[in-house]
Every structure is written in C-alpha cells, then in structure tokens.
Amino acid sequence: MALGLIPDSPSVAVVVILVTTGIIWVGSGWLESAAEGLAAYYGLPAVVQGSVIIAVGSSFPELASVVITALSGSFSMGVGAIVGSAVFNVLVIPALSGIASKTSVGADRTIVYKEAQFYMIAVSALIITFALAVIYFPTDGAGLNGRITRPLAAIPLAMYGLYLFIQWQDVSDYESETPAGDIDVVRSWGTLALGLGTILVGVEFLVGGVETLNAAFGIPEFLAGVTIIAAATSLPDALVSVRAAKDGRGITSLGNVLGSNTFDLLVAIPVGVLIVGSATVSFAVAAPMFGVLTVATVLLFTLLRTDLALTGPEAYLLLFVYGVFVVWVVGETAGVFDLLVGI
C-alpha cells in the first residue's frame, strides 16, 4: 500500500480507493476554479481556456498516476489509466454534459475541425511511438513488447509543443472582455498549488490501493488502469465539463474533453518515461485499446458535426457505447473474450 501506512488487505484497499477518489475530486475542484480565474486574468479565449488551461489542470490526476506508477514499476497500469480515461472522456463526459444541460451542447468549427483533428493526430503519434518501441527496442519474451526510451518519448512531446504553438497563434488575435482587475491572481495561483498538492497525495494512495487489489485478485495491471484508475482520475474532467455545459459554455466543455485527452496522450505518458529513463509497453495490448479509442472518437466527432451540437438522444447513445466498452473490458479480465494478448 502507498507509503506503507495502510494495511495490505482488499477490504481496506476498497475503502482507500473510495476515499482517495473523493480527495482527488476536492483537489480538482480547487484546481479548476484557480485555472478558470487565471485563464480569465490572462485574457484567453474560451476554446483555449477549455483545451489548454483547464484541460491541463483537470488532467493533473492522470499525469500524477503515470508518474507514480512509473516510479513504482507499474508503468503499464499508468498507460492503461491514460487510455481508459481517454475513452471515458470522449464517451461519458460529453454524454453527462448533454444530459445535464437544458439545451444541446453547442460546438463550433474550431472544436470540430482544429481541436478534433489535432486530437486524432495525438492518437496516431502515440501509436507510432509504441510501434517504434517494438521495432527498435524489442524486449525478450512472448508478445509484441518494446521499450519506450527518452528519445522516443520526445516525439509526442514535440507534437504537444506544436499544439501549444497553434493555440498561441489564436491567443495573439484575441481580445478578452473580462476585466483582469476583478480577479485575485495571487490567490488563484495559491489555490492552484493547493489543488495540485492534494491531487498528488490522493493519487499516491489510489495507486497503492489498486496495486493491493491487483495482488489479491490477480487483476492485470493494464486493465486495472483502464477501469479503476481511469474512472477515478477522470472525475475532475467530468466535473469541469458538466459544470461548463450547465452554464451554457458548450465550447469550453467540449474543449476540456479534447484538450485533456491531447495532454494525457502527448505529455503524461512521455513524462513518465522521461522520469524513469525507459518503460516497457505491450503493443498487443495497447493497439486494440487505441482502436477502441479511435472508434469512440470518430463517433463523438460525427455526432458533433451534425448541426454543430450534441443532443439528448446522442448523449444517451454515447453512454450506451461506453457500457459496451465496460462489458468488453470485464469480459477480457474474466477471460471470456480473450482478444487482448500478453496481459
């Protein structure tokens, strides 16, 4: 268990996971409010607020989970958490936003074309990085396993640098309507730091609790990350997007979803590699999961492109598809489908 402070028993681990999920939720609330204030203070447009500032803030739990799992030697759990969180983000969060909103969640061409298309590039960049790891740095043993090294990790990081450059181009042409003097910037930075610290503590114990369940019930690390850790670390993104949708800020809501996933794929996983030096990945496990993520993403983009809005029936369709995904993951864990190899 994390830090050796809590007994290694399954019942205690379940309690720890529930409590730490709440801690992550609280810390993310502080982080979200601070990020919104800072975005307004520095005069950023709504799409940049959602896709960069708020997205990076609400994605901090995923980043923390990758770093902590990498340091503990369970990097595949962190990768699973990122992929599972990405699927959750593109299916469940827009669905909850559409259900919570009194009207359809509005989008615009910036979301559908620029954000969506760059997000698909992010998925492709990570798949290519994993493939290069298998080709040039294969590991011994069965399965398509390879090591992601620091030079390979630089590929997705460079792509995120391009993403930030594109967003900076948009900011340079934007004039904010929010008076900067109405925001206490020092307090916002302090709240941001408090939220980050709280999330770090919560994720540390969350990973410890999941590792205890893995040892007790033989749950594969990757699938544990896809389900338990992914759901817990995605709560901040859900909180941010649903609240924005209820306030009629559909662009910010959807921008947070796409921006969070872009950050998770291009930054969170490479940062874990940079910290530990190299990490082993199973392409045979990751590739089918990225295939599911791609299908889910295409479905979301298709629904958003129709009238540039997400309606109530479309929201329920996304929830249904996520339910099918969960059934598949549970079936894989139980050995019913056996489509993923090497886990």
Side-chain angles (χ1 to χ4, degrees), residues 1-29:
M1 184 66 71
L3 304 179
L5 300 178
I6 301 175
D8 290 331
S9 74
S11 58
V12 173
V14 172
V15 174
V16 169
I17 291 172
L18 294 176
V19 172
T20 53
T21 298
I23 291 174
I24 293 171
W25 182 286
V26 172
S28 298

Side-chain angles (χ1 to χ4, degrees), residues 24-192:
I24 293 171
W25 182 286
V26 172
S28 298
W30 293 336
L31 190 149
E32 178 230 343
S33 63
E36 285 183 343
L38 291 172
Y41 179 83
Y42 292 109
L44 302 180
V47 65
V48 176
Q49 288 185 36
S51 60
V52 179
I53 303 300
I54 298 176
V56 171
S58 62
S59 291
F60 189 75
E62 287 94 333
L63 174 61
S65 69
V66 171
V67 172
I68 291 172
T69 54
L71 292 175
S72 65
S74 304
F75 184 72
S76 61
M77 184 189 297
V79 174
I82 293 299
V83 177
S85 176
V87 175
F88 185 94
N89 285 357
V90 298
L91 293 178
V92 177
I93 295 180
L96 295 178
S97 299
I99 294 171
S101 177
K102 296 180 180 179
T103 60
S104 300
V105 179
D108 62 8
R109 294 184 180 276
T110 300
I111 288 289
V112 174
Y113 291 110
K114 187 188 76 173
E115 296 297 329
Q117 290 183 9
F118 199 95
Y119 169 57
M120 290 301 295
I121 293 175
V123 175
S124 301
L126 201 59
I127 293 176
I128 292 172
T129 301
F130 280 25
L132 291 176
V134 174
I135 294 171
Y136 292 104
F137 304 100
T139 60
D140 297 332
L144 297 173
N145 298 330
R147 287 187 303 108
I148 299 180
T149 61
R150 284 172 174 156
L152 286 180
I155 296 175
L157 284 175
M159 291 299 301
Y160 195 74
L162 174 62
Y163 177 72
L164 293 180
F165 174 76
I166 294 173
Q167 298 290 17
W168 177 77
Q169 292 289 330
D170 289 344
V171 172
S172 63
D173 299 329
Y174 176 77
E175 293 184 4
S176 175
E177 299 178 357
T178 303
D182 297 341
I183 300 170
D184 188 341
V185 65
V186 175
R187 182 177 180 179
S188 294
W189 279 112
T191 303
L192 184 73

